Structure formats: C-alpha cells, structure tokens
Amino acid sequence: MTYTLRFTSLALLAGAAAAPMSVAQNTGGVFGPVVDGNERSVQYRLAYVPEEDGRDHRYAHRLHGELAFDNRRKARLIVQGADRGGPDGLEFDYVQAELFWELSDEQATAWNSGLRFDARISGDDRPDQFGVNWTNQFRITDRMFARAIALTAVQTGDNSADGVLLSARGSLNYKLEDGYSVALESYNSLGSSEDFGFDDNSQQLGPTVSGKFDGGWDWTAGTLFGVSDQAPDTDFRVWLGRSF
C-alpha cells in the first residue's frame, strides 16, 4: 500500500506540473484498464473552450461506441467533429479505432493494468496517427482509487510531428453514495522523443463529478484549467452515455 500511495502521488504531481496532444477542446478521458465482458455502450461528449486572448469560442463533439468481446478485450470506435473558431464552423476532426486489452489477473484488486492500441484517420491537412497506451489503476481504499496512464503516438502524413509523441494522464477518484463519484484529473503533454520536456507544451488540471440516471444512462461534468501558457484557461466538458 505504501508503494501504491507513493506511485499515485508521483503520477498526480507529474500531471499537475506537466495535457493531451490536443491543447484545446479536450474530449479525452483518464480511462481505466478493467474490462467488463458484458459492456455494450455509447457515449456523447462535448468540450467547450470560451473565447480568450482574441480567439473565438471553440467546440468539439465526440460520439463513440464500445463493445466487449470477453473479460479481457474490448473495442471502441470514435467519431469527432470540431469547431476551432473562424469562418469554417464545425468540421470533421477524426475517426479512431481502439482496442483495449486488460493485462492484470481477473481477480486483481490492488493494481490493474492494461494496454490500448489506437489508429486514427484525421480530416483536412492534419496528420493520421497510431498509438500504444499503458493504463494502470490502484485501489487506495474501498471508495478511493487512482489512475496513471502513459500515452504514445506516431504521426504520419501531412504536417506530421517528428519522433514519438509522449503524454501522461492521471486521476484521483472517490466514490460517493447513490452512484455519484468525484475526481481530480490531469492531462499532460510531454513533447516528443525528439524534443522531450514540459516547455511549450500543454498542461491541464481539473475536477469532475459523475452520476447515473435510470435506464442505464450515466453522465459526467467537469472543467479543466490550464496550468501552462499553451493550454486554454478553461475547458468545459459534459459527457452523456448509455449502457445496454
């Protein structure tokens, strides 16, 4: 348990000091490694960045569906559109396919670990990318757990970045009564293998609250605050999903 708390503290401090590879309209999540073999779900996500520093309001709309094959593997398909400000309005952003694979023993409770493999096709002149991500979940108490994720991506096509893009995400989660939960999340861009470091990269940190409706519906609302000059000051996020 001492090791778990120490690892969790380091992960969250790295998050607070260091954001996703996209610096605005963050629709990403601090995803866990545990696979439920019965999972069938769809989810809509909205991210909104208000006007700031002379830039227009910006939106991103994301829709994804998840399907578990068994208690070890599941797949997700994502489609996202984004309005980055200016006259063009909402445009196709990307479509992404993901495969999750839980590595830890099915009976594990203190530490769960897994991999996620990504393949993305982007719109316009933005690069396509492929990624491998390692996610970990640590139980602290019966109601509290932490997550730490290391993400990598290699870009191809027009305007692609050199080297391997690196980022990290972390969260500290607490389960409340009646199906509610709260969390503190961090999203941290670390540059690339060619130019690694915190400088000129985006770091975000903020709270979320989640709950459930009747009929298999769930919701999450939260705000991320920029803790670096490269991140937007505020990034509002709302998710609505349904399990089948």
Side-chain angles (χ1 to χ4, degrees), residues 44-115:
Y44 164 74
R45 298 183 181 183
L46 168 66
Y48 166 61
V49 174
E51 181 179 357
E52 61 182 26
D53 299 328
R55 296 196 63 178
D56 295 335
H57 302 283
R58 287 160 282 165
Y59 299 86
H61 302 270
R62 163 174 160 172
L63 183 65
H64 74 240
E66 278 186 15
L67 173 65
F69 304 123
D70 50 39
N71 287 330
R72 311 297 293 175
R73 299 169 300 160
K74 67 178 179 179
R76 181 161 67 182
L77 182 65
I78 299 170
V79 179
Q80 178 164 306
D83 182 347
R84 293 177 170 81
D88 295 330
L90 184 67
E91 298 180 299
F92 168 72
D93 194 5
Y94 66 81
V95 58
Q96 179 165 304
E98 301 174 349
L99 176 64
F100 295 79
W101 179 24
E102 184 175 355
L103 300 177
S104 49
D105 188 275
E106 292 186 22
Q107 306 304 316
T109 57
W111 173 38
N112 298 87
S113 182
L115 294 175

Side-chain angles (χ1 to χ4, degrees), residues 113-135:
S113 182
L115 294 175
R116 194 187 80 185
F117 303 91
D118 305 339
R120 174 182 298 189
I121 299 175
S122 301
D124 293 335
D125 296 327
R126 292 183 296 278
D128 303 329
Q129 68 181 39
F130 302 89
V132 179
N133 314 299
W134 180 35
T135 176

Side-chain angles (χ1 to χ4, degrees), residues 115-240:
L115 294 175
R116 194 187 80 185
F117 303 91
D118 305 339
R120 174 182 298 189
I121 299 175
S122 301
D124 293 335
D125 296 327
R126 292 183 296 278
D128 303 329
Q129 68 181 39
F130 302 89
V132 179
N133 314 299
W134 180 35
T135 176
N136 299 272
Q137 181 169 297
F138 305 91
R139 184 172 67 89
I140 301 173
T141 69
D142 288 342
R143 292 195 176 192
M144 183 181 293
F145 64 90
R147 289 174 177 169
I149 308 174
L151 301 96
T152 68
V154 175
Q155 295 186 340
T156 63
D158 296 336
N159 302 314
S160 58
D162 295 331
V164 179
L165 296 176
L166 306 169
S167 61
R169 301 177 188 176
S171 69
L172 184 63
N173 306 65
Y174 187 79
K175 296 180 180 179
L176 303 173
E177 300 289 347
D178 300 323
Y180 293 99
S181 62
V182 293
L184 178 65
E185 298 184 343
S186 63
Y187 296 80
N188 322 289
S189 176
L190 304 176
S192 75
S193 57
E194 301 293 318
D195 185 21
F196 181 81
F198 297 144
D199 295 341
D200 300 323
N201 290 309
S202 174
Q203 298 97 43
Q204 295 175 289
L205 179 72
T208 67
V209 58
S210 302
K212 297 182 182 297
F213 296 122
D214 293 336
W217 291 90
D218 60 79
W219 59 269
T220 298
T223 303
L224 294 174
F225 300 99
V227 292
S228 69
D229 292 338
Q230 291 70 31
D233 291 339
T234 51
D235 196 340
F236 299 104
R237 289 135 52 86
V238 177
W239 302 356
L240 181 65

